[in-house]
Amino acid sequence: MSAPAGLDRATERSRDLRLLLAVLLTLLGVALTLVYLIALNAGAAPRLADLAYERLPSTGVQNPVTAVLLNYRAYDTLMELAVLLAALLGIWALGPAPPGFQRSGAVLAAMVSWVVPLLIVTGGYMLWVGGYAPGGAFQAGALLGAAGVIVRLAGDPRAGLPGEAAQRWLLVAGVLVFTLVGLGLMAFGAGFLTYPPTLAKWLILLIEAAATVAIGAALAAAYVGGRPPGPDARPTAEDEDALTPAQTPANPPAPPLDPRP
Amino acid sequence: MLIAQFLYGGAGLVLFTLGLWSFLVHEPLLRKIIALNVTGAGVFHVLIAIAYRGDAAPPDPVPHALVLTGIVVAVSATALALMLGARLQDADEEDQTP
């Protein structure tokens, strides 16, 4: 008799708590909306945007977002790459990766062999276009990471990444190149990450290329979800399929589905 | 277009509040992680809405850059949180089986 009553009281209390939370959060939402509305109606305050556009010609890039990320607030981006690396180290510290998925069938394998090269080429385009239009290291890195996810889903236990030793270099490439460029500039008398305008474009491109590789590798490695399996792990993911030779086309030719002549 | 800007940012605030509610109310870790992501999406909405400076001027690049950085940090933090959750679940199952 007492147990159901206690249960009832517990559910009642949790319902009361939910109601209280709902009221408080509604109040918070209304308050935030009011502040936002007042801020919108307050009109144009002095903003960083004017300064950002004014100094754009000396940043080495024409895209203001890239200028903010890699020039004005370069420290921010360096630390952000460090955060990405730290998150991945945390994932690796939690143990080995779960086993890969089963080997993909012919249709998925053919699609992967089309989509992954396209993603890599688009990533390279994104990296270059970031200098003067929307694009840059983050978008390019996200595309590379997506390519890794697709490769992993298609059965590669390492998501297309190399072995652990090489993977470590890929993962630290962003932070490493970023820091080396900053220290190099210091050695030549400029401040840490204060690019001379004549060199700015190429230094930014160098940093962004390294950052693209690092972001893409980190996202794909995070999707793998643990320390990468060693080279001998490769057959274990497909050992069941390996018993039936008909289903293991290691590199299946693309079927003639291409609509172009 | 102040109304469009208000609606976009207001939708972000609604997402923020809903995500916070879901984070506080729901017990399972996976739902909490998703809720935190919804909260983050709301913050990104607000930042993008704030970047608008009228049709005549180009948008403010500083909030845009913050959103771009924030997305990558949110993704990596989510990945770490998911892995921690999976390990916690494994540990719980190990505790219960013997």
Side-chain angles (χ1 to χ4, degrees), chain A residues 18 21 25 32-33 36-37 40-41 47 49-50 53 64 68-69 80 84 90-91 94 96 138 219 225, chain B residues 2 5-6 9 13 17 20-21 24-25 49-50 53 58-61 65 68-69 72-73 76 80 83 87:
Chain A
R18 280 173 177 231
L21 262 180
L25 283 176
L32 284 175
T33 313
Y36 178 56
L37 192 60
L40 281 187
N41 281 323
R47 307 179 65 143
D50 299 320
Y53 279 101
V68 172
L69 279 174
E80 184 269 343
L84 194 59
I91 290 172
L94 288 172
F138 292 100
L219 291 178
Chain B
L2 203 64
Q5 191 184 8
F6 176 68
L13 291 174
T17 318
L20 207 56
W21 154 261
L24 291 172
V25 163
I50 283 175
R53 298 191 302 157
D60 189 344
L68 208 54
T69 323
V72 175
V73 170
S76 55
L80 180 57
M83 284 312 299
R87 288 286 177 251

mmCIF file of all heavy atoms in Angstrom, chain A residues 18 21 25 32-33 36-37 40-41 47 49-50 53 64 68-69 80 84 90-91 94 96 138 219 225, chain B residues 2 5-6 9 13 17 20-21 24-25 49-50 53 58-61 65 68-69 72-73 76 80 83 87:
data_model
loop_
_atom_site.group_PDB
_atom_site.id
_atom_site.type_symbol
_atom_site.label_atom_id
_atom_site.label_comp_id
_atom_site.label_asym_id
_atom_site.label_seq_id
_atom_site.Cartn_x
_atom_site.Cartn_y
_atom_site.Cartn_z
ATOM 1 N N ARG A 18 8.421 19.776 -13.149
ATOM 2 C CA ARG A 18 8.356 20.080 -14.587
ATOM 3 C C ARG A 18 7.559 21.343 -14.835
ATOM 4 O O ARG A 18 7.928 22.173 -15.674
ATOM 5 C CB ARG A 18 7.695 18.926 -15.335
ATOM 6 C CG ARG A 18 8.622 17.782 -15.590
ATOM 7 C CD ARG A 18 7.862 16.623 -16.165
ATOM 8 N NE ARG A 18 8.781 15.545 -16.474
ATOM 9 C CZ ARG A 18 8.826 14.931 -17.653
ATOM 10 N NH1 ARG A 18 7.987 15.266 -18.599
ATOM 11 N NH2 ARG A 18 9.677 13.978 -17.879
ATOM 12 N N LEU A 21 9.595 24.263 -13.923
ATOM 13 C CA LEU A 21 10.617 24.489 -14.953
ATOM 14 C C LEU A 21 10.011 25.147 -16.180
ATOM 15 O O LEU A 21 10.590 26.067 -16.754
ATOM 16 C CB LEU A 21 11.230 23.147 -15.345
ATOM 17 C CG LEU A 21 12.534 22.778 -14.684
ATOM 18 C CD1 LEU A 21 12.980 21.421 -15.188
ATOM 19 C CD2 LEU A 21 13.572 23.818 -15.009
ATOM 20 N N LEU A 25 11.227 28.638 -17.596
ATOM 21 C CA LEU A 25 11.842 28.719 -18.925
ATOM 22 C C LEU A 25 11.029 29.618 -19.848
ATOM 23 O O LEU A 25 11.599 30.318 -20.687
ATOM 24 C CB LEU A 25 11.990 27.314 -19.519
ATOM 25 C CG LEU A 25 13.143 26.512 -18.936
ATOM 26 C CD1 LEU A 25 13.166 25.114 -19.509
ATOM 27 C CD2 LEU A 25 14.468 27.192 -19.217
ATOM 28 N N LEU A 32 14.333 37.006 -22.794
ATOM 29 C CA LEU A 32 15.348 37.055 -23.855
ATOM 30 C C LEU A 32 14.790 37.721 -25.104
ATOM 31 O O LEU A 32 15.460 38.526 -25.748
ATOM 32 C CB LEU A 32 15.823 35.636 -24.182
ATOM 33 C CG LEU A 32 16.769 34.981 -23.194
ATOM 34 C CD1 LEU A 32 17.040 33.551 -23.620
ATOM 35 C CD2 LEU A 32 18.074 35.750 -23.136
ATOM 36 N N THR A 33 13.531 37.365 -25.455
ATOM 37 C CA THR A 33 12.926 37.952 -26.650
ATOM 38 C C THR A 33 12.778 39.466 -26.486
ATOM 39 O O THR A 33 13.023 40.227 -27.438
ATOM 40 C CB THR A 33 11.563 37.301 -26.912
ATOM 41 O OG1 THR A 33 11.702 35.884 -26.808
ATOM 42 C CG2 THR A 33 11.036 37.659 -28.279
ATOM 43 N N TYR A 36 16.100 41.042 -26.911
ATOM 44 C CA TYR A 36 16.471 40.991 -28.327
ATOM 45 C C TYR A 36 15.725 42.060 -29.118
ATOM 46 O O TYR A 36 16.310 42.775 -29.947
ATOM 47 C CB TYR A 36 16.163 39.593 -28.856
ATOM 48 C CG TYR A 36 16.435 39.395 -30.315
ATOM 49 C CD1 TYR A 36 17.694 39.651 -30.836
ATOM 50 C CD2 TYR A 36 15.441 38.941 -31.164
ATOM 51 C CE1 TYR A 36 17.947 39.470 -32.168
ATOM 52 C CE2 TYR A 36 15.693 38.753 -32.498
ATOM 53 C CZ TYR A 36 16.942 39.018 -32.997
ATOM 54 O OH TYR A 36 17.185 38.841 -34.325
ATOM 55 N N LEU A 37 14.414 42.194 -28.834
ATOM 56 C CA LEU A 37 13.602 43.189 -29.544
ATOM 57 C C LEU A 37 14.107 44.599 -29.249
ATOM 58 O O LEU A 37 14.245 45.432 -30.162
ATOM 59 C CB LEU A 37 12.144 43.034 -29.111
ATOM 60 C CG LEU A 37 11.105 43.794 -29.937
ATOM 61 C CD1 LEU A 37 11.165 43.320 -31.376
ATOM 62 C CD2 LEU A 37 9.725 43.558 -29.374
ATOM 63 N N LEU A 40 17.243 45.205 -31.119
ATOM 64 C CA LEU A 40 17.023 45.448 -32.554
ATOM 65 C C LEU A 40 16.536 46.861 -32.782
ATOM 66 O O LEU A 40 16.945 47.526 -33.739
ATOM 67 C CB LEU A 40 15.994 44.450 -33.099
ATOM 68 C CG LEU A 40 16.462 43.047 -33.398
ATOM 69 C CD1 LEU A 40 15.365 42.268 -34.083
ATOM 70 C CD2 LEU A 40 17.698 43.074 -34.268
ATOM 71 N N ASN A 41 15.637 47.328 -31.906
ATOM 72 C CA ASN A 41 15.059 48.650 -32.107
ATOM 73 C C ASN A 41 16.021 49.764 -31.720
ATOM 74 O O ASN A 41 15.795 50.913 -32.075
ATOM 75 C CB ASN A 41 13.762 48.780 -31.290
ATOM 76 C CG ASN A 41 12.616 48.091 -31.997
ATOM 77 O OD1 ASN A 41 12.540 48.140 -33.219
ATOM 78 N ND2 ASN A 41 11.751 47.432 -31.249
ATOM 79 N N ARG A 47 29.840 48.995 -34.509
ATOM 80 C CA ARG A 47 30.079 47.567 -34.579
ATOM 81 C C ARG A 47 31.458 47.304 -35.145
ATOM 82 O O ARG A 47 32.067 48.178 -35.762
ATOM 83 C CB ARG A 47 29.045 46.891 -35.485
ATOM 84 C CG ARG A 47 27.651 47.190 -35.131
ATOM 85 C CD ARG A 47 26.724 46.500 -36.088
ATOM 86 N NE ARG A 47 26.825 45.057 -35.967
ATOM 87 C CZ ARG A 47 25.769 44.262 -36.079
ATOM 88 N NH1 ARG A 47 24.593 44.756 -36.314
ATOM 89 N NH2 ARG A 47 25.915 42.962 -35.978
ATOM 90 N N ALA A 49 31.941 45.429 -37.567
ATOM 91 C CA ALA A 49 31.847 45.181 -39.001
ATOM 92 C C ALA A 49 32.513 46.295 -39.804
ATOM 93 O O ALA A 49 33.233 46.025 -40.773
ATOM 94 C CB ALA A 49 30.389 45.046 -39.396
ATOM 95 N N ASP A 50 32.278 47.570 -39.382
ATOM 96 C CA ASP A 50 32.841 48.688 -40.151
ATOM 97 C C ASP A 50 34.368 48.613 -40.177
ATOM 98 O O ASP A 50 34.994 48.755 -41.225
ATOM 99 C CB ASP A 50 32.375 50.009 -39.539
ATOM 100 C CG ASP A 50 30.863 50.127 -39.571
ATOM 101 O OD1 ASP A 50 30.270 49.714 -40.587
ATOM 102 O OD2 ASP A 50 30.278 50.615 -38.582
ATOM 103 N N TYR A 53 35.558 45.742 -42.452
ATOM 104 C CA TYR A 53 35.537 46.025 -43.892
ATOM 105 C C TYR A 53 36.585 47.068 -44.266
ATOM 106 O O TYR A 53 37.183 47.011 -45.340
ATOM 107 C CB TYR A 53 34.142 46.504 -44.310
ATOM 108 C CG TYR A 53 33.184 45.368 -44.512
ATOM 109 C CD1 TYR A 53 32.256 45.038 -43.546
ATOM 110 C CD2 TYR A 53 33.235 44.596 -45.668
ATOM 111 C CE1 TYR A 53 31.385 43.974 -43.715
ATOM 112 C CE2 TYR A 53 32.375 43.533 -45.857
ATOM 113 C CZ TYR A 53 31.448 43.234 -44.871
ATOM 114 O OH TYR A 53 30.610 42.176 -45.048
ATOM 115 N N PRO A 64 35.367 38.666 -46.087
ATOM 116 C CA PRO A 64 35.518 39.201 -44.729
ATOM 117 C C PRO A 64 35.451 38.133 -43.646
ATOM 118 O O PRO A 64 36.113 38.272 -42.609
ATOM 119 C CB PRO A 64 34.356 40.195 -44.601
ATOM 120 C CG PRO A 64 33.412 39.848 -45.682
ATOM 121 C CD PRO A 64 34.213 39.256 -46.780
ATOM 122 N N VAL A 68 38.217 37.525 -40.793
ATOM 123 C CA VAL A 68 37.986 37.465 -39.337
ATOM 124 C C VAL A 68 38.605 36.197 -38.767
ATOM 125 O O VAL A 68 39.306 36.232 -37.755
ATOM 126 C CB VAL A 68 36.471 37.510 -39.034
ATOM 127 C CG1 VAL A 68 36.226 37.261 -37.560
ATOM 128 C CG2 VAL A 68 35.892 38.857 -39.423
ATOM 129 N N LEU A 69 38.364 35.079 -39.444
ATOM 130 C CA LEU A 69 38.799 33.786 -38.893
ATOM 131 C C LEU A 69 40.310 33.644 -38.878
ATOM 132 O O LEU A 69 40.883 33.156 -37.910
ATOM 133 C CB LEU A 69 38.203 32.646 -39.715
ATOM 134 C CG LEU A 69 36.774 32.254 -39.416
ATOM 135 C CD1 LEU A 69 36.315 31.222 -40.414
ATOM 136 C CD2 LEU A 69 36.665 31.699 -38.023
ATOM 137 N N GLU A 80 40.477 27.010 -31.490
ATOM 138 C CA GLU A 80 39.375 26.144 -31.902
ATOM 139 C C GLU A 80 39.917 24.835 -32.486
ATOM 140 O O GLU A 80 39.378 23.758 -32.215
ATOM 141 C CB GLU A 80 38.528 26.931 -32.912
ATOM 142 C CG GLU A 80 37.294 26.227 -33.360
ATOM 143 C CD GLU A 80 37.548 25.422 -34.586
ATOM 144 O OE1 GLU A 80 38.579 25.687 -35.232
ATOM 145 O OE2 GLU A 80 36.739 24.554 -34.907
ATOM 146 N N LEU A 84 39.312 20.986 -31.116
ATOM 147 C CA LEU A 84 38.989 19.815 -31.938
ATOM 148 C C LEU A 84 39.957 18.670 -31.640
ATOM 149 O O LEU A 84 39.551 17.512 -31.476
ATOM 150 C CB LEU A 84 39.071 20.235 -33.410
ATOM 151 C CG LEU A 84 38.475 19.313 -34.439
ATOM 152 C CD1 LEU A 84 37.012 19.103 -34.177
ATOM 153 C CD2 LEU A 84 38.669 19.918 -35.826
ATOM 154 N N GLY A 90 40.347 12.929 -26.371
ATOM 155 C CA GLY A 90 39.431 12.349 -25.397
ATOM 156 C C GLY A 90 38.780 11.091 -25.931
ATOM 157 O O GLY A 90 38.672 10.081 -25.226
ATOM 158 N N ILE A 91 38.362 11.140 -27.199
ATOM 159 C CA ILE A 91 37.710 9.965 -27.799
ATOM 160 C C ILE A 91 38.693 8.800 -27.876
ATOM 161 O O ILE A 91 38.353 7.660 -27.555
ATOM 162 C CB ILE A 91 37.164 10.334 -29.193
ATOM 163 C CG1 ILE A 91 35.983 11.290 -29.037
ATOM 164 C CG2 ILE A 91 36.752 9.102 -29.960
ATOM 165 C CD1 ILE A 91 35.496 11.852 -30.333
ATOM 166 N N LEU A 94 39.321 6.892 -24.677
ATOM 167 C CA LEU A 94 38.255 6.027 -24.171
ATOM 168 C C LEU A 94 38.378 4.598 -24.659
ATOM 169 O O LEU A 94 37.565 3.755 -24.301
ATOM 170 C CB LEU A 94 36.894 6.588 -24.579
ATOM 171 C CG LEU A 94 36.492 7.849 -23.813
ATOM 172 C CD1 LEU A 94 35.246 8.457 -24.393
ATOM 173 C CD2 LEU A 94 36.290 7.517 -22.355
ATOM 174 N N PRO A 96 39.644 1.478 -27.799
ATOM 175 C CA PRO A 96 39.696 1.195 -29.233
ATOM 176 C C PRO A 96 38.345 1.425 -29.905
ATOM 177 O O PRO A 96 37.300 1.438 -29.244
ATOM 178 C CB PRO A 96 40.093 -0.286 -29.279
ATOM 179 C CG PRO A 96 39.622 -0.834 -27.987
ATOM 180 C CD PRO A 96 39.721 0.264 -26.980
ATOM 181 N N PHE A 138 36.875 25.454 -42.835
ATOM 182 C CA PHE A 138 35.880 24.704 -42.075
ATOM 183 C C PHE A 138 34.939 23.959 -43.007
ATOM 184 O O PHE A 138 34.643 22.784 -42.795
ATOM 185 C CB PHE A 138 35.103 25.639 -41.164
ATOM 186 C CG PHE A 138 35.957 26.176 -40.077
ATOM 187 C CD1 PHE A 138 36.494 27.430 -40.159
ATOM 188 C CD2 PHE A 138 36.281 25.378 -39.002
ATOM 189 C CE1 PHE A 138 37.321 27.908 -39.181
ATOM 190 C CE2 PHE A 138 37.099 25.845 -38.011
ATOM 191 C CZ PHE A 138 37.624 27.114 -38.104
ATOM 192 N N LEU A 219 37.297 14.967 -37.887
ATOM 193 C CA LEU A 219 35.870 14.627 -37.938
ATOM 194 C C LEU A 219 35.689 13.156 -38.301
ATOM 195 O O LEU A 219 34.886 12.439 -37.687
ATOM 196 C CB LEU A 219 35.140 15.523 -38.937
ATOM 197 C CG LEU A 219 35.020 16.989 -38.539
ATOM 198 C CD1 LEU A 219 34.319 17.776 -39.619
ATOM 199 C CD2 LEU A 219 34.274 17.143 -37.228
ATOM 200 N N GLY A 225 35.352 6.691 -33.763
ATOM 201 C CA GLY A 225 34.939 6.526 -32.378
ATOM 202 C C GLY A 225 35.905 5.777 -31.490
ATOM 203 O O GLY A 225 35.473 5.045 -30.609
ATOM 204 N N LEU B 2 13.035 44.498 -40.631
ATOM 205 C CA LEU B 2 13.243 44.239 -39.212
ATOM 206 C C LEU B 2 12.433 43.033 -38.746
ATOM 207 O O LEU B 2 12.853 42.288 -37.868
ATOM 208 C CB LEU B 2 12.850 45.478 -38.412
ATOM 209 C CG LEU B 2 13.500 45.588 -37.029
ATOM 210 C CD1 LEU B 2 14.991 45.739 -37.165
ATOM 211 C CD2 LEU B 2 12.903 46.738 -36.250
ATOM 212 N N GLN B 5 14.164 39.775 -39.534
ATOM 213 C CA GLN B 5 15.302 39.616 -38.617
ATOM 214 C C GLN B 5 14.813 39.204 -37.237
ATOM 215 O O GLN B 5 15.397 38.324 -36.595
ATOM 216 C CB GLN B 5 16.061 40.934 -38.529
ATOM 217 C CG GLN B 5 17.387 40.810 -37.826
ATOM 218 C CD GLN B 5 18.073 42.140 -37.661
ATOM 219 O OE1 GLN B 5 17.492 43.182 -37.943
ATOM 220 N NE2 GLN B 5 19.302 42.104 -37.214
ATOM 221 N N PHE B 6 13.696 39.825 -36.794
ATOM 222 C CA PHE B 6 13.164 39.484 -35.475
ATOM 223 C C PHE B 6 12.652 38.049 -35.448
ATOM 224 O O PHE B 6 12.891 37.315 -34.485
ATOM 225 C CB PHE B 6 12.045 40.456 -35.093
ATOM 226 C CG PHE B 6 11.383 40.099 -33.798
ATOM 227 C CD1 PHE B 6 12.077 40.205 -32.608
ATOM 228 C CD2 PHE B 6 10.083 39.624 -33.765
ATOM 229 C CE1 PHE B 6 11.497 39.869 -31.419
ATOM 230 C CE2 PHE B 6 9.495 39.270 -32.571
ATOM 231 C CZ PHE B 6 10.194 39.392 -31.393
ATOM 232 N N GLY B 9 15.733 35.598 -35.426
ATOM 233 C CA GLY B 9 16.361 35.553 -34.110
ATOM 234 C C GLY B 9 15.419 35.011 -33.057
ATOM 235 O O GLY B 9 15.831 34.258 -32.167
ATOM 236 N N LEU B 13 15.697 31.963 -30.361
ATOM 237 C CA LEU B 13 15.451 31.998 -28.912
ATOM 238 C C LEU B 13 14.488 30.892 -28.498
ATOM 239 O O LEU B 13 14.652 30.285 -27.434
ATOM 240 C CB LEU B 13 14.904 33.367 -28.510
ATOM 241 C CG LEU B 13 15.924 34.508 -28.624
ATOM 242 C CD1 LEU B 13 15.268 35.850 -28.360
ATOM 243 C CD2 LEU B 13 17.060 34.283 -27.657
ATOM 244 N N THR B 17 15.293 27.941 -25.830
ATOM 245 C CA THR B 17 14.493 27.628 -24.641
ATOM 246 C C THR B 17 14.008 26.177 -24.673
ATOM 247 O O THR B 17 14.048 25.471 -23.654
ATOM 248 C CB THR B 17 13.293 28.580 -24.553
ATOM 249 O OG1 THR B 17 13.740 29.894 -24.896
ATOM 250 C CG2 THR B 17 12.719 28.603 -23.175
ATOM 251 N N LEU B 20 16.833 23.872 -23.822
ATOM 252 C CA LEU B 20 17.132 23.926 -22.389
ATOM 253 C C LEU B 20 16.117 23.108 -21.595
ATOM 254 O O LEU B 20 16.482 22.341 -20.697
ATOM 255 C CB LEU B 20 17.101 25.393 -21.948
ATOM 256 C CG LEU B 20 17.946 25.782 -20.744
ATOM 257 C CD1 LEU B 20 19.392 25.392 -20.975
ATOM 258 C CD2 LEU B 20 17.835 27.268 -20.486
ATOM 259 N N TRP B 21 14.856 23.241 -21.963
ATOM 260 C CA TRP B 21 13.780 22.470 -21.317
ATOM 261 C C TRP B 21 14.036 20.976 -21.463
ATOM 262 O O TRP B 21 14.020 20.224 -20.502
ATOM 263 C CB TRP B 21 12.449 22.885 -21.943
ATOM 264 C CG TRP B 21 11.365 21.842 -21.869
ATOM 265 C CD1 TRP B 21 10.998 20.981 -22.860
ATOM 266 C CD2 TRP B 21 10.512 21.557 -20.759
ATOM 267 N NE1 TRP B 21 9.981 20.178 -22.441
ATOM 268 C CE2 TRP B 21 9.664 20.510 -21.151
ATOM 269 C CE3 TRP B 21 10.385 22.068 -19.473
ATOM 270 C CZ2 TRP B 21 8.701 19.972 -20.313
ATOM 271 C CZ3 TRP B 21 9.423 21.529 -18.635
ATOM 272 C CH2 TRP B 21 8.593 20.497 -19.053
ATOM 273 N N LEU B 24 16.893 19.701 -19.367
ATOM 274 C CA LEU B 24 16.668 19.597 -17.925
ATOM 275 C C LEU B 24 15.681 18.487 -17.578
ATOM 276 O O LEU B 24 15.791 17.861 -16.530
ATOM 277 C CB LEU B 24 16.148 20.937 -17.389
ATOM 278 C CG LEU B 24 17.168 22.070 -17.408
ATOM 279 C CD1 LEU B 24 16.512 23.383 -17.041
ATOM 280 C CD2 LEU B 24 18.299 21.763 -16.449
ATOM 281 N N VAL B 25 14.716 18.240 -18.462
ATOM 282 C CA VAL B 25 13.607 17.361 -18.091
ATOM 283 C C VAL B 25 13.903 15.897 -18.386
ATOM 284 O O VAL B 25 13.568 15.020 -17.608
ATOM 285 C CB VAL B 25 12.328 17.825 -18.816
ATOM 286 C CG1 VAL B 25 11.286 16.738 -18.794
ATOM 287 C CG2 VAL B 25 11.789 19.076 -18.139
ATOM 288 N N ALA B 49 21.174 36.164 -37.077
ATOM 289 C CA ALA B 49 20.202 37.253 -37.209
ATOM 290 C C ALA B 49 20.838 38.583 -36.820
ATOM 291 O O ALA B 49 20.566 39.617 -37.446
ATOM 292 C CB ALA B 49 18.983 36.965 -36.340
ATOM 293 N N ILE B 50 21.688 38.561 -35.807
ATOM 294 C CA ILE B 50 22.321 39.808 -35.354
ATOM 295 C C ILE B 50 23.256 40.364 -36.431
ATOM 296 O O ILE B 50 23.433 41.570 -36.539
ATOM 297 C CB ILE B 50 23.096 39.530 -34.040
ATOM 298 C CG1 ILE B 50 22.107 39.438 -32.878
ATOM 299 C CG2 ILE B 50 24.106 40.606 -33.747
ATOM 300 C CD1 ILE B 50 22.748 39.059 -31.580
ATOM 301 N N ARG B 53 22.588 43.715 -41.229
ATOM 302 C CA ARG B 53 22.707 45.160 -40.979
ATOM 303 C C ARG B 53 21.889 45.958 -41.974
ATOM 304 O O ARG B 53 22.273 47.058 -42.376
ATOM 305 C CB ARG B 53 24.167 45.592 -41.069
ATOM 306 C CG ARG B 53 25.057 44.942 -40.051
ATOM 307 C CD ARG B 53 26.401 45.596 -40.015
ATOM 308 N NE ARG B 53 27.065 45.549 -41.307
ATOM 309 C CZ ARG B 53 28.018 46.390 -41.681
ATOM 310 N NH1 ARG B 53 28.402 47.339 -40.863
ATOM 311 N NH2 ARG B 53 28.587 46.272 -42.854
ATOM 312 N N PRO B 58 26.583 45.154 -46.228
ATOM 313 C CA PRO B 58 26.856 43.713 -46.136
ATOM 314 C C PRO B 58 26.767 43.260 -44.687
ATOM 315 O O PRO B 58 26.930 44.072 -43.775
ATOM 316 C CB PRO B 58 28.291 43.588 -46.665
ATOM 317 C CG PRO B 58 28.876 44.939 -46.472
ATOM 318 C CD PRO B 58 27.764 45.927 -46.596
ATOM 319 N N PRO B 59 26.473 41.970 -44.461
ATOM 320 C CA PRO B 59 26.331 41.509 -43.077
ATOM 321 C C PRO B 59 27.643 41.598 -42.315
ATOM 322 O O PRO B 59 28.730 41.616 -42.895
ATOM 323 C CB PRO B 59 25.864 40.065 -43.234
ATOM 324 C CG PRO B 59 26.228 39.677 -44.605
ATOM 325 C CD PRO B 59 26.192 40.909 -45.426
ATOM 326 N N ASP B 60 27.507 41.639 -40.998
ATOM 327 C CA ASP B 60 28.664 41.716 -40.106
ATOM 328 C C ASP B 60 29.411 40.382 -40.141
ATOM 329 O O ASP B 60 28.833 39.347 -39.804
ATOM 330 C CB ASP B 60 28.152 42.010 -38.683
ATOM 331 C CG ASP B 60 29.282 42.316 -37.722
ATOM 332 O OD1 ASP B 60 30.430 42.009 -38.079
ATOM 333 O OD2 ASP B 60 29.008 42.857 -36.636
ATOM 334 N N PRO B 61 30.677 40.358 -40.558
ATOM 335 C CA PRO B 61 31.360 39.058 -40.665
ATOM 336 C C PRO B 61 31.753 38.451 -39.325
ATOM 337 O O PRO B 61 32.013 37.258 -39.254
ATOM 338 C CB PRO B 61 32.606 39.397 -41.487
ATOM 339 C CG PRO B 61 32.847 40.834 -41.226
ATOM 340 C CD PRO B 61 31.511 41.467 -41.009
ATOM 341 N N ALA B 65 31.691 34.437 -38.436
ATOM 342 C CA ALA B 65 32.890 33.649 -38.132
ATOM 343 C C ALA B 65 32.723 32.907 -36.822
ATOM 344 O O ALA B 65 33.158 31.757 -36.690
ATOM 345 C CB ALA B 65 34.111 34.567 -38.065
ATOM 346 N N LEU B 68 30.660 29.846 -37.482
ATOM 347 C CA LEU B 68 31.431 28.841 -38.218
ATOM 348 C C LEU B 68 32.340 28.060 -37.260
ATOM 349 O O LEU B 68 32.414 26.827 -37.311
ATOM 350 C CB LEU B 68 32.268 29.573 -39.271
ATOM 351 C CG LEU B 68 32.617 28.832 -40.521
ATOM 352 C CD1 LEU B 68 31.367 28.311 -41.159
ATOM 353 C CD2 LEU B 68 33.311 29.777 -41.477
ATOM 354 N N THR B 69 33.015 28.801 -36.380
ATOM 355 C CA THR B 69 33.874 28.140 -35.401
ATOM 356 C C THR B 69 33.040 27.308 -34.441
ATOM 357 O O THR B 69 33.397 26.180 -34.113
ATOM 358 C CB THR B 69 34.662 29.192 -34.610
ATOM 359 O OG1 THR B 69 35.005 30.247 -35.482
ATOM 360 C CG2 THR B 69 35.887 28.619 -34.015
ATOM 361 N N VAL B 72 31.908 23.719 -35.585
ATOM 362 C CA VAL B 72 32.918 22.655 -35.521
ATOM 363 C C VAL B 72 33.162 22.241 -34.067
ATOM 364 O O VAL B 72 33.270 21.045 -33.751
ATOM 365 C CB VAL B 72 34.220 23.122 -36.204
ATOM 366 C CG1 VAL B 72 35.297 22.084 -36.039
ATOM 367 C CG2 VAL B 72 33.970 23.371 -37.669
ATOM 368 N N VAL B 73 33.207 23.233 -33.169
ATOM 369 C CA VAL B 73 33.408 22.898 -31.761
ATOM 370 C C VAL B 73 32.225 22.080 -31.243
ATOM 371 O O VAL B 73 32.400 21.091 -30.513
ATOM 372 C CB VAL B 73 33.599 24.185 -30.932
ATOM 373 C CG1 VAL B 73 33.562 23.869 -29.452
ATOM 374 C CG2 VAL B 73 34.909 24.833 -31.278
ATOM 375 N N SER B 76 32.517 18.474 -32.474
ATOM 376 C CA SER B 76 33.535 17.670 -31.797
ATOM 377 C C SER B 76 33.132 17.398 -30.349
ATOM 378 O O SER B 76 33.345 16.292 -29.846
ATOM 379 C CB SER B 76 34.895 18.356 -31.872
ATOM 380 O OG SER B 76 34.807 19.660 -31.358
ATOM 381 N N LEU B 80 32.572 13.671 -28.575
ATOM 382 C CA LEU B 80 33.168 13.239 -27.310
ATOM 383 C C LEU B 80 32.078 12.828 -26.322
ATOM 384 O O LEU B 80 32.195 11.788 -25.641
ATOM 385 C CB LEU B 80 34.026 14.368 -26.739
ATOM 386 C CG LEU B 80 34.723 14.088 -25.412
ATOM 387 C CD1 LEU B 80 35.612 12.868 -25.527
ATOM 388 C CD2 LEU B 80 35.543 15.281 -24.970
ATOM 389 N N MET B 83 30.685 9.444 -27.193
ATOM 390 C CA MET B 83 31.582 8.345 -26.829
ATOM 391 C C MET B 83 31.567 8.108 -25.324
ATOM 392 O O MET B 83 31.557 6.954 -24.862
ATOM 393 C CB MET B 83 33.010 8.657 -27.292
ATOM 394 C CG MET B 83 33.246 8.478 -28.760
ATOM 395 S SD MET B 83 32.621 6.911 -29.369
ATOM 396 C CE MET B 83 33.603 5.779 -28.386
ATOM 397 N N ARG B 87 30.489 4.651 -23.465
ATOM 398 C CA ARG B 87 31.339 3.943 -22.490
ATOM 399 C C ARG B 87 30.603 3.775 -21.163
ATOM 400 O O ARG B 87 30.725 2.744 -20.501
ATOM 401 C CB ARG B 87 32.638 4.709 -22.271
ATOM 402 C CG ARG B 87 33.579 4.647 -23.437
ATOM 403 C CD ARG B 87 34.260 3.288 -23.581
ATOM 404 N NE ARG B 87 35.088 3.287 -24.776
ATOM 405 C CZ ARG B 87 34.794 2.613 -25.869
ATOM 406 N NH1 ARG B 87 33.728 1.853 -25.921
ATOM 407 N NH2 ARG B 87 35.574 2.675 -26.922
#
